[in-house]
Amino acid sequence: MRLTLRTLAALLGYPSADLLAHVDDMRAGLDEEAALPGVARRRLDPLLDRLAASDLLDAQSDYTELFDRSRKLSLHLFEHVHGESRDRGPAMLDLAGQYMQAGLLLESSELPDYLPIFFEYASCLPPAEARGTLAQPGHVLAALEQRLRERESDYAAVFTAALALSGARPDREALDELQKNAPSDDPSLIDEEWEDKEVTFTGAHDMGGPTGIVAQMRAKGKAAGANRAPEE
């Protein structure tokens, strides 16, 4: 599962020359580890094929247009759970604290709820714990998968794969609530939000407030995931 999660993290990140040069290696790693069910694995092929054949600037432009111009497709988990509320800062600190407890120190300028980083974190956990970690924001992953499918984007397969690894069925009521309250993609509103103060944090996590990511991965007080598949 570790290699598969790291591959999903790489695929969901901003395209780089290194990524495009190693698509075949990622494909081989997915097949060798065989952590994904056949259907979920095959759904990744169109994305892998496109990236392998893409010009770097085209791949980067497509990625930016898809993820950076739509709040509905934000790759930051807490954007979908907390939006711009004051709860987002403490949630971010709690997640960063969990990374530190796992011995991970963020060197990226990205916030800790950035999904490629979250997948990397899950890849460092024992398999059962990794599945549980992925299942907690299952309704967010399912919403992103659905929205990307509606846009006929091959990136939807990354979320199909993550949900398959989690072995969980996202809470339907929480998912419906998330979809109903999806943010607007009005360009003028997006531009205004970019001018707002960014959520930041400094210093070590004081371990105050709620502990465990499951406390943060809720929408309107509803549990994020349920009905996990039996452990292997």
Side-chain angles (χ1 to χ4, degrees):
M1 179 183 290
R2 175 174 296 187
L3 182 57
T4 299
L5 276 170
R6 291 184 177 177
T7 298
L8 297 183
L11 288 173
L12 208 53
Y14 186 68
S16 66
D18 190 55
L19 172 71
L20 300 191
H22 290 90
V23 169
D24 288 341
D25 293 332
M26 290 189 290
R27 194 194 308 269
L30 290 170
D31 291 336
E32 181 178 349
E33 190 171 61
L36 289 171
V39 172
R41 166 62 190 87
R42 288 191 293 274
R43 284 181 179 173
L44 286 167
D45 281 332
L47 175 59
L48 293 167
D49 293 343
R50 179 175 63 80
L51 290 174
S54 286
D55 172 81
L56 177 59
L57 291 180
D58 288 341
Q60 291 174 339
S61 176
D62 291 344
Y63 181 95
T64 298
E65 187 64 28
L66 185 65
F67 292 115
D68 292 350
R69 297 299 297 174
S70 172
R71 285 189 61 199
K72 290 181 181 178
L73 298 178
S74 172
L75 295 179
H76 289 88
L77 282 172
F78 296 142
E79 170 75 16
H80 304 285
V81 178
H82 297 299
E84 299 302 318
S85 77
R86 292 183 179 181
D87 292 333
R88 191 175 180 185
M92 208 79 71
L93 286 170
D94 188 62
L95 183 55
Q98 290 184 64
Y99 291 173
M100 287 192 289
Q101 284 184 338
L104 303 175
L105 181 64
L106 288 180
E107 296 181 353
S108 168
S109 60
E110 283 289 351
L111 296 173
D113 67 335
Y114 182 52
L115 272 166
I117 293 174
F118 183 72
F119 287 167
E120 284 275 358
Y121 164 62
S123 78
C124 297
L125 303 174
E129 191 174 347
R131 283 192 285 271
T133 296
L134 290 172
Q136 289 162 15
H139 63 308
V140 177
L141 302 182
L144 287 167
E145 178 194 34
Q146 183 175 323
R147 292 169 189 174
L148 286 163
R149 281 185 185 228
E150 289 170 354
R151 297 187 185 216
E152 299 183 345
S153 170
D154 47 21
Y155 277 104
V158 176
F159 295 95
T160 304
L163 288 165
L165 289 177
S166 77
R169 295 187 184 92
D171 183 275
R172 173 53 58 182
E173 191 176 357
L175 177 57
D176 290 344
E177 186 76 10
L178 198 65
Q179 296 289 49
K180 183 176 72 173
N181 296 317
S184 171
D185 278 344
D186 185 325
S188 65
L189 295 178
I190 294 173
D191 290 339
E192 287 178 9
E193 285 163 4
W194 275 108
E195 295 173 1
D196 290 343
K197 184 177 180 180
E198 181 181 356
V199 177
T200 59
F201 55 91
T202 58
H205 180 41
D206 62 7
M207 301 311 296
T211 57
I213 192 171
V214 74
Q216 306 302 332
M217 295 300 182
R218 298 178 185 274
K220 302 298 182 181
K222 297 180 175 62
N227 301 323
R228 291 183 193 169
E231 300 292 346
E232 295 175 358

